[in-house]
Amino acid sequence: MNILITGASAGFGEALAKQLVAKGHCVIGCARRLDKLEALAETLGERFTPVAMDVTDTASIEAALTGLPAAFRPIDVLVNNAGLALGTEPAFEAKLDDWMRMVDTNIKGLMALTHALLPEMVKRNSGYIINIGSIAGTWPYYGGNVYGATKAFVKQFSLNLRADLLGSKVRVTNLEPGNVGGTEFSNVRYHGDAEKAAKVYAGFENMTAEDVADILVWLIESPAHVNVNRLEVMPVAQTYNGLTIAKD
Ligand code: NDP
Ligand code: 8X3
C-alpha cells in the first residue's frame, strides 16, 4: 500500500514509517524538517520518500502532492498525524499566537490534506483516512483549552466524514491516544523547556510511539470491510480522575 504520513520526522509518524516500510509498504513521509526525513530515507531505503510539507501552507501541500513520484500513487492511506500542543497555561493566561498555531496545524492542516486527497479516494471507491486525535478531545483538563478543542474538532470531523461516506468503501478512523512519552510532543508544548517536558513522563510506565505505531499498522492492515470509528488508548497508569471542586 502507499501511505502518506504527515509529521513523519519525529514521534508517532517516524515510528509508523519504520514499521510500515519493514512490512513492505511504501511511505510518503511529510514534515517541515526535510533533513530529518532525508536521514530517515537513508535508513529506510527506496520504499520511503521524504517530502517537505508545511500543513499550514496550502501552496506547500499542493506542491508536495503534485511532485510525488508516480510509484507512490495512488495514495491508499492518509495518516493525518502532524500536530502540536503549545502551552499548558489556563485560557486566561494563554498566548493567542499559540492558540492560532494549534488551530492552523491541528485543524486547518488536517482539513487541507483531507480536502486534497479524499475526492480521489471516493472516485476510486477505496482509501483510508486515519486522523490522530487525542484523549484531550474528549476529556477536559487544566491547561488543555485550545489543544483539547482542536482534537474535539478532529474527532467530530472524523465522525462527520463517516456520515458523508455513506455507500462508499472509503474508511475513516479517529485514533485518540493518551499520554505517550519519548516523542518531541512535550518539548514542543513547553517551548523547548526539556526539564518541564521530562517531568510529564517521570515516575510511571509511558506508552511509546512504537505502541501507537503498532495500533496504526493494525488499523491499516485490518480488513477493508471493517471500520474502526474511534479508538481511545492510554497507558495503564493513566485514568480518569473525576471532576474537581475548588473548596473555600
Ligand atoms: P512530535 O512532536 O514528536 O511529532 C510531531 C510531528 O508533526 C513532527 O514530525 C513535526 O515535524 C510535525 N509537524 C508539526 N507541525 C507541522 C506542520 N506545520 N507541517 C508539517 N508537519 C508538522 O509529536 P507526537 O508524535 O507525539 O504527536 C503526533 C500527533 O499525535 C500530534 O497530532 C499530537 O497532537 C498527537 N498526540 C500526541 C500524544 C502524545 O502524548 N505524544 C498523545 C495524543 C495525541 P516538523 O517539525 O519537522 O514539521
Ligand atoms: C496528548 C495527550 O494527555 O497530553 O494529546 O493531552 S495529553
Side-chain angles (χ1 to χ4, degrees):
M1 272 188 270
N2 292 328
I3 297 146
L4 187 148
I5 307 171
T6 64
S9 61
F12 302 176
E14 180 181 351
L16 178 61
K18 287 178 180 164
Q19 290 199 19
L20 288 171
V21 167
K23 294 196 121 233
H25 297 292
C26 290
V27 173
I28 303 147
C30 309
R32 293 166 301 180
R33 287 170 298 175
L34 187 58
D35 55 329
K36 294 207 90 188
L37 296 173
E38 281 171 346
L40 195 54
E42 297 232 327
T43 57
L44 295 185
E46 59 185 21
R47 281 205 296 272
F48 179 86
T49 194
V51 175
M53 182 194 286
D54 181 344
V55 300
T56 68
D57 175 357
T58 40
S60 150
I61 295 174
E62 232 176 84
L65 294 179
T66 27
L68 282 184
F72 286 80
R73 286 279 196 180
I75 293 163
D76 300 297
V77 183
L78 163 64
V79 183
N80 273 319
N81 164 72
L84 77 177
L86 292 168
T88 50
E89 297 84 4
F92 46 88
E93 287 171 1
K95 295 182 186 67
L96 183 59
D97 187 49
D98 284 351
W99 280 7
M100 295 302 191
R101 274 188 60 204
M102 288 188 277
V103 168
D104 286 345
T105 311
N106 303 359
I107 296 182
K108 291 183 173 182
L110 180 142
M111 277 166 46
L113 261 297
T114 305
H115 191 265
L117 294 177
L118 184 60
E120 62 186 57
M121 291 184 180
V122 170
K123 208 166 167 191
R124 288 199 317 271
N125 201 22
S126 93
Y128 192 179
I129 296 181
I130 303 181
N131 293 326
I132 308 299
S134 167
I135 58 162
T138 301
W139 307 105
Y141 61 82
Y142 189 87
N145 43 72
V146 167
Y147 177 67
T150 66
K151 295 301 188 178
F153 172 92
V154 172
K155 176 172 67 179
Q156 195 62 20
F157 183 54
S158 304
L159 299 180
N160 279 339
L161 287 175
R162 285 281 294 133
D164 287 354
L165 288 165
L166 174 72
S168 159
K169 291 188 172 150
V170 177
R171 300 191 287 165
V172 181
T173 294
N174 194 46
L175 178 61
E176 303 163 16
N179 189 292
V180 183
T183 76
E184 297 179 0
F185 178 82
S186 277
N187 277 321
V188 172
R189 184 168 215 171
Y190 289 108
H191 298 284
D193 186 331
E195 202 179 321
K196 271 191 186 165
K199 270 194 189 149
V200 175
Y201 307 103
F204 70 99
E205 189 172 3
N206 311 153
M207 283 206 306
T208 65
E210 288 69 34
D211 294 328
V212 175
D214 285 344
I215 295 165
L216 287 164
V217 169
W218 171 75
L219 287 168
I220 288 167
E221 295 188 341
S222 63
H225 66 283
V226 174
N227 198 97
V228 176
N229 298 335
R230 293 177 54 200
L231 186 52
E232 182 184 86
V233 285
M234 295 178 187
V236 174
Q238 184 173 34
T239 186
Y240 315 105
N241 78 4
L243 300 172
T244 313
I245 295 171
K247 298 200 173 167
D248 296 331

